[in-house]
Protein backbone atom coordinates (compact mmCIF):
# COMPACT_ATOMS: atom_id res chain seq x y z
CA UNK A 1 0.00 0.00 0.00
CA UNK A 2 2.85 2.37 0.87
CA UNK A 3 4.66 1.53 -2.34
CA UNK A 4 1.63 2.55 -4.40
CA UNK A 5 1.19 5.94 -2.69
CA UNK A 6 4.64 7.35 -3.52
CA UNK A 7 4.30 7.19 -7.31
CA UNK A 8 1.07 9.23 -7.08
CA UNK A 9 2.71 12.15 -5.24
CA UNK A 10 4.32 13.77 -8.31
CA UNK A 11 1.03 13.66 -10.17
CA UNK A 12 -0.76 15.32 -7.29
CA UNK A 13 1.90 18.11 -7.13
CA UNK A 14 1.66 18.62 -10.87
CA UNK A 15 -2.10 18.94 -10.54
CA UNK A 16 -1.71 21.61 -7.88
CA UNK A 17 0.78 23.53 -10.06
CA UNK A 18 -1.54 23.37 -13.06
CA UNK A 19 -4.43 24.77 -10.98
CA UNK A 20 -2.26 27.58 -9.66
CA UNK A 21 -1.22 28.42 -13.26
CA UNK A 22 -4.87 28.62 -14.27
CA UNK A 23 -5.69 30.90 -11.37
CA UNK A 24 -2.69 33.08 -12.21
CA UNK A 25 -3.70 33.31 -15.88
CA UNK A 26 -7.26 34.22 -14.94
CA UNK A 27 -6.01 36.96 -12.64
CA UNK A 28 -4.03 38.45 -15.54
CA UNK A 29 -7.13 38.77 -17.73
CA UNK A 30 -8.86 42.19 -17.83
CA UNK A 31 -11.74 42.48 -15.41
CA UNK A 32 -15.30 42.92 -16.48
CA UNK A 33 -16.15 46.50 -17.46
CA UNK A 34 -19.05 46.51 -15.00
CA UNK A 35 -16.73 46.00 -11.97
CA UNK A 36 -14.02 48.65 -11.65
CA UNK A 37 -10.64 47.58 -10.27
CA UNK A 38 -9.84 48.38 -6.68
CA UNK A 39 -6.97 50.70 -7.51
CA UNK A 40 -9.09 52.97 -9.75
CA UNK A 41 -8.31 56.56 -8.70
CA UNK A 42 -11.30 58.63 -7.53
CA UNK A 43 -12.69 61.46 -9.60
CA UNK A 44 -10.24 64.34 -9.69
CA UNK A 45 -11.19 67.13 -7.25
CA UNK A 46 -10.81 70.68 -8.40
CA UNK A 47 -8.28 72.44 -6.24
CA UNK A 48 -9.69 75.51 -4.47
CA UNK A 49 -7.99 78.76 -5.42
CA UNK A 50 -6.23 80.43 -2.54
CA UNK A 51 -7.21 83.94 -1.46
CA UNK A 52 -4.87 86.61 -2.80
CA UNK A 53 -4.46 90.12 -1.37
CA UNK A 54 -6.55 91.44 -4.27
CA UNK A 55 -9.32 88.96 -3.40
CA UNK A 56 -9.20 90.08 0.22
CA UNK A 57 -9.46 93.77 -0.72
CA UNK A 58 -12.47 93.09 -2.98
CA UNK A 59 -14.14 91.00 -0.26
CA UNK A 60 -13.63 93.77 2.30
CA UNK A 61 -15.11 96.33 -0.08
CA UNK A 62 -18.07 94.02 -0.72
CA UNK A 63 -18.73 93.57 3.01
CA UNK A 64 -18.45 97.29 3.78
CA UNK A 65 -20.75 98.36 0.94
CA UNK A 66 -23.33 95.68 1.75
CA UNK A 67 -23.38 96.12 5.52
CA UNK A 68 -23.52 99.93 5.33
CA UNK A 69 -26.62 100.04 3.12
CA UNK A 70 -28.77 102.42 5.26
CA UNK A 71 -32.05 100.76 4.25
CA UNK A 72 -30.94 97.11 4.28
CA UNK A 73 -27.68 96.78 6.18
CA UNK A 74 -27.10 93.40 7.81
CA UNK A 75 -30.60 93.11 9.31
CA UNK A 76 -31.55 90.23 7.05
CA UNK A 77 -31.11 86.49 6.95
CA UNK A 78 -27.50 85.38 6.98
CA UNK A 79 -27.84 83.46 3.72
CA UNK A 80 -29.27 86.42 1.83
CA UNK A 81 -26.66 88.77 3.33
CA UNK A 82 -23.71 86.65 2.19
CA UNK A 83 -25.26 85.97 -1.21
CA UNK A 84 -25.33 89.74 -1.76
CA UNK A 85 -21.67 89.95 -0.78
CA UNK A 86 -20.76 87.08 -3.13
CA UNK A 87 -22.63 88.78 -5.98
CA UNK A 88 -20.88 92.08 -5.24
CA UNK A 89 -17.54 90.24 -5.19
CA UNK A 90 -18.20 88.53 -8.53
CA UNK A 91 -19.17 91.84 -10.17
CA UNK A 92 -15.83 93.47 -9.35
CA UNK A 93 -13.57 93.94 -12.40
CA UNK A 94 -10.54 93.20 -10.20
CA UNK A 95 -11.48 89.51 -10.07
CA UNK A 96 -12.86 89.19 -13.61
CA UNK A 97 -12.04 85.84 -15.17
CA UNK A 98 -11.19 84.21 -11.84
CA UNK A 99 -12.94 81.34 -10.14
CA UNK A 100 -16.29 82.36 -8.70
CA UNK A 101 -16.45 82.47 -4.92
CA UNK A 102 -19.42 80.89 -3.17
CA UNK A 103 -21.22 82.73 -0.38
CA UNK A 104 -19.93 80.20 2.17
CA UNK A 105 -16.35 80.79 1.02
CA UNK A 106 -16.77 84.56 1.41
CA UNK A 107 -18.25 84.11 4.87
CA UNK A 108 -15.41 81.86 6.07
CA UNK A 109 -12.73 84.15 4.70
CA UNK A 110 -14.35 87.26 6.16
CA UNK A 111 -14.59 85.73 9.63
CA UNK A 112 -10.88 84.93 9.49
CA UNK A 113 -9.99 88.45 8.32
CA UNK A 114 -12.24 90.04 10.94
CA UNK A 115 -10.74 87.97 13.76
CA UNK A 116 -7.09 88.52 12.84
CA UNK A 117 -7.45 92.21 11.99
CA UNK A 118 -9.27 92.88 15.26
CA UNK A 119 -6.42 91.21 17.15
CA UNK A 120 -3.80 93.16 15.21
CA UNK A 121 -5.63 96.42 15.98
CA UNK A 122 -5.01 95.69 19.65
CA UNK A 123 -1.34 94.95 18.95
CA UNK A 124 -0.96 98.15 16.94
CA UNK A 125 -2.60 100.19 19.69
CA UNK A 126 -0.25 98.68 22.24
CA UNK A 127 2.72 99.54 20.02
CA UNK A 128 1.43 103.10 19.69
CA UNK A 129 1.24 103.50 23.46
CA UNK A 130 4.80 102.24 23.77
CA UNK A 131 6.09 104.64 21.12
CA UNK A 132 9.36 106.30 22.05
CA UNK A 133 10.99 109.47 20.83
CA UNK A 134 12.33 109.19 17.29
CA UNK A 135 10.14 106.30 16.19
CA UNK A 136 8.18 106.67 12.96
CA UNK A 137 5.15 104.85 11.54
CA UNK A 138 7.22 101.97 10.18
CA UNK A 139 8.83 101.42 13.57
CA UNK A 140 5.42 101.29 15.26
CA UNK A 141 4.11 98.85 12.64
CA UNK A 142 7.15 96.61 13.07
CA UNK A 143 6.70 96.62 16.83
CA UNK A 144 2.99 95.79 16.39
CA UNK A 145 3.96 92.70 14.39
CA UNK A 146 6.30 91.66 17.21
CA UNK A 147 3.56 92.11 19.82
CA UNK A 148 1.11 90.09 17.69
CA UNK A 149 3.63 87.26 17.31
CA UNK A 150 4.40 87.19 21.03
CA UNK A 151 0.70 87.11 21.94
CA UNK A 152 -0.59 84.59 19.39
CA UNK A 153 2.56 82.64 18.42
CA UNK A 154 2.05 83.21 14.71
CA UNK A 155 2.84 85.93 12.20
CA UNK A 156 0.25 88.43 10.99
CA UNK A 157 -0.03 88.06 7.20
CA UNK A 158 -3.08 90.24 6.55
CA UNK A 159 -1.49 93.68 6.71
CA UNK A 160 -3.17 94.58 3.39
CA UNK A 161 -6.57 93.86 4.98
CA UNK A 162 -5.70 95.85 8.10
CA UNK A 163 -4.79 98.88 5.98
CA UNK A 164 -8.21 98.69 4.31
CA UNK A 165 -10.11 98.42 7.61
CA UNK A 166 -8.07 100.47 10.07
CA UNK A 167 -9.85 103.75 9.21
CA UNK A 168 -13.37 102.30 9.30
CA UNK A 169 -15.60 103.29 12.22
CA UNK A 170 -15.77 99.81 13.74
CA UNK A 171 -12.02 99.22 13.82
CA UNK A 172 -11.35 102.80 14.90
CA UNK A 173 -13.61 102.11 17.89
CA UNK A 174 -11.60 98.97 18.67
CA UNK A 175 -8.46 101.08 18.86
CA UNK A 176 -9.89 104.10 20.66
CA UNK A 177 -11.74 102.02 23.28
CA UNK A 178 -8.47 100.66 24.63
CA UNK A 179 -6.95 104.14 24.58
CA UNK A 180 -9.91 105.47 26.55
CA UNK A 181 -9.57 102.72 29.16
CA UNK A 182 -5.91 103.51 29.73
CA UNK A 183 -6.48 107.27 29.72
CA UNK A 184 -9.39 107.21 32.20
CA UNK A 185 -6.95 106.69 35.06
CA UNK A 186 -5.05 109.82 34.09
CA UNK A 187 -8.25 111.78 33.52
CA UNK A 188 -9.60 110.89 36.96
CA UNK A 189 -6.50 112.41 38.48
CA UNK A 190 -6.84 115.57 36.40
CA UNK A 191 -10.27 116.36 37.89
CA UNK A 192 -13.62 117.53 36.58
CA UNK A 193 -12.21 119.56 33.70
CA UNK A 194 -10.52 116.52 32.18
CA UNK A 195 -13.68 114.43 32.67
CA UNK A 196 -15.82 117.02 30.91
CA UNK A 197 -13.43 117.16 27.94
CA UNK A 198 -13.56 113.36 27.74
CA UNK A 199 -17.38 113.45 27.67
CA UNK A 200 -17.26 116.08 24.92
CA UNK A 201 -14.92 113.90 22.89
CA UNK A 202 -17.26 110.91 23.26
CA UNK A 203 -20.21 113.05 22.18
CA UNK A 204 -18.30 114.10 19.06
CA UNK A 205 -17.59 110.45 18.26
CA UNK A 206 -21.26 109.57 18.63
CA UNK A 207 -22.20 112.47 16.38
CA UNK A 208 -19.77 111.26 13.71
CA UNK A 209 -21.16 107.72 13.76
CA UNK A 210 -23.14 106.93 10.59
CA UNK A 211 -26.88 106.32 11.11
CA UNK A 212 -28.06 102.77 11.55
CA UNK A 213 -30.78 100.93 9.67
CA UNK A 214 -33.62 101.92 12.03
CA UNK A 215 -32.39 105.51 12.21
CA UNK A 216 -32.26 105.76 8.42
CA UNK A 217 -35.80 104.38 8.11
CA UNK A 218 -37.01 106.73 10.84
CA UNK A 219 -35.37 109.67 9.08
CA UNK A 220 -37.20 108.70 5.88
CA UNK A 221 -40.54 108.65 7.72
CA UNK A 222 -39.81 112.03 9.30
CA UNK A 223 -38.99 113.50 5.89
CA UNK A 224 -42.27 112.21 4.45
CA UNK A 225 -44.22 113.51 7.46
CA UNK A 226 -42.59 116.92 7.19
CA UNK A 227 -43.40 117.18 3.47
CA UNK A 228 -47.01 116.16 4.14
CA UNK A 229 -47.34 118.77 6.89
CA UNK A 230 -46.00 121.49 4.60
CA UNK A 231 -48.42 120.47 1.85
CA UNK A 232 -51.37 120.54 4.23
CA UNK A 233 -50.37 124.00 5.43
CA UNK A 234 -50.10 125.31 1.87
CA UNK A 235 -53.48 123.78 0.96
CA UNK A 236 -55.11 125.40 3.98
CA UNK A 237 -53.79 128.82 2.93
CA UNK A 238 -54.98 128.20 -0.61
CA UNK A 239 -58.46 127.28 0.60
CA UNK A 240 -58.66 130.43 2.67
CA UNK A 241 -57.61 132.50 -0.33
CA UNK A 242 -60.26 130.88 -2.53
CA UNK A 243 -62.95 131.43 0.12
CA UNK A 244 -62.01 135.10 0.39
CA UNK A 245 -62.16 135.55 -3.38
CA UNK A 246 -65.57 133.84 -3.49
CA UNK A 247 -66.86 136.10 -0.70
CA UNK A 248 -65.66 139.23 -2.49
CA UNK A 249 -67.33 138.03 -5.68
CA UNK A 250 -70.65 137.51 -3.88
CA UNK A 251 -70.42 140.92 -2.22
CA UNK A 252 -69.80 142.57 -5.57
CA UNK A 253 -72.80 140.83 -7.10
CA UNK A 254 -74.99 141.83 -4.14
CA UNK A 255 -73.88 145.43 -4.42
CA UNK A 256 -74.84 145.50 -8.09
CA UNK A 257 -78.30 144.12 -7.30
CA UNK A 258 -78.88 146.61 -4.50
CA UNK A 259 -77.70 149.52 -6.66
CA UNK A 260 -80.39 148.85 -9.28
CA UNK A 261 -83.05 151.58 -9.29
CA UNK A 262 -85.74 149.70 -11.17
CA UNK A 263 -87.62 146.90 -9.47
CA UNK A 264 -85.77 143.56 -9.48
CA UNK A 265 -87.09 140.57 -11.30
CA UNK A 266 -88.19 137.57 -9.29
CA UNK A 267 -84.98 135.59 -9.91
CA UNK A 268 -82.88 138.66 -9.06
CA UNK A 269 -84.82 139.16 -5.81
CA UNK A 270 -84.31 135.49 -4.92
CA UNK A 271 -80.60 135.76 -5.72
CA UNK A 272 -80.26 138.87 -3.55
CA UNK A 273 -81.87 137.16 -0.55
CA UNK A 274 -79.65 134.09 -1.04
CA UNK A 275 -76.47 136.19 -1.19
CA UNK A 276 -77.46 138.12 1.93
CA UNK A 277 -78.10 134.89 3.85
CA UNK A 278 -74.78 133.31 2.76
CA UNK A 279 -72.73 136.40 3.61
CA UNK A 280 -74.35 136.76 7.03
CA UNK A 281 -73.90 133.08 7.88
CA UNK A 282 -70.21 132.90 6.86
Amino acid sequence: MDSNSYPQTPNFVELLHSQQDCVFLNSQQPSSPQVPPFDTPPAERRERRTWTPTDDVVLISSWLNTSKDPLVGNEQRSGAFWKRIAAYFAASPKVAGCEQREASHCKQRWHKINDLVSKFCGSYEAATREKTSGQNENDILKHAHEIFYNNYKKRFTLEHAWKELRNDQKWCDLSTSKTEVSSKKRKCEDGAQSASSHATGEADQVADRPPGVKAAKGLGKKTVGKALSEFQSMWSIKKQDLAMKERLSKMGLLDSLIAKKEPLADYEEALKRKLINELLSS
Side-chain angles (χ1 to χ4, degrees), residues 13-34:
V13 173
E14 291 177 1
L15 178 61
L16 289 177
H17 282 301
S18 63
Q19 290 179 351
Q20 290 178 356
D21 292 339
C22 293
V23 172
F24 179 77
L25 291 175
N26 291 333
S27 64
Q28 298 298 320
Q29 293 179 358
S31 58
S32 175
Q34 287 79 8

Side-chain angles (χ1 to χ4, degrees), residues 143-277:
H143 188 38
H145 278 279
E146 294 174 354
I147 294 175
F148 184 90
Y149 182 80
N150 292 333
N151 290 340
Y152 305 104
K153 308 305 178 185
K154 60 182 178 181
R155 300 189 181 278
F156 181 67
T157 59
L158 297 176
E159 186 175 328
H160 56 279
W162 172 75
K163 290 180 179 179
E164 292 291 324
L165 293 170
R166 61 178 298 192
N167 296 322
D168 189 78
Q169 184 70 38
K170 173 183 175 181
W171 285 268
C172 286
D173 290 343
L174 288 176
S175 298
T176 56
S177 61
K178 295 187 177 182
T179 304
E180 290 173 359
V181 170
S182 61
S183 63
K184 279 182 179 179
K185 297 180 180 179
R186 297 192 301 270
K187 291 183 178 180
C188 290
E189 296 174 356
D190 292 340
Q193 182 178 1
S194 179
S196 61
S197 63
H198 175 69
T200 304
E202 287 185 343
D204 293 339
Q205 290 182 358
V206 173
D208 295 337
R209 185 183 297 275
V213 176
K214 294 182 179 179
K217 291 181 179 179
L219 181 60
K221 293 180 180 179
K222 289 181 180 179
T223 304
V224 173
K226 184 178 179 181
L228 180 60
S229 177
E230 291 177 354
F231 174 77
Q232 290 176 343
S233 178
M234 292 177 60
W235 177 244
S236 177
I237 295 173
K238 185 69 174 177
K239 286 174 65 177
Q240 293 177 4
D241 185 48
L242 292 174
M244 183 59 67
K245 289 182 179 180
E246 184 179 2
R247 182 179 179 84
L248 293 174
S249 176
K250 291 179 179 180
M251 290 176 64
L253 181 57
L254 180 60
D255 290 340
S256 64
L257 292 174
I258 294 174
K260 278 190 175 183
K261 295 180 179 179
E262 65 273 7
L264 298 176
D266 293 340
Y267 73 91
E268 291 178 333
E269 188 67 30
L271 179 59
K272 184 178 74 170
R273 287 195 299 269
K274 181 180 178 181
L275 290 173
I276 292 173
N277 292 332

Side-chain angles (χ1 to χ4, degrees), residues 67-110:
S67 62
K68 289 185 177 181
D69 187 338
L71 297 180
V72 179
N74 55 6
E75 288 192 357
Q76 54 185 313
R77 293 184 181 275
S78 176
F81 177 71
W82 287 105
K83 283 181 181 179
R84 292 185 65 202
I85 292 179
Y88 195 103
F89 181 93
S92 175
K94 294 182 180 180
V95 294
C98 299
E99 178 187 355
Q100 186 176 358
R101 299 288 187 181
E102 300 293 336
S104 58
H105 300 162
C106 295
K107 181 179 180 180
Q108 293 173 3
R109 183 61 177 178
W110 168 254

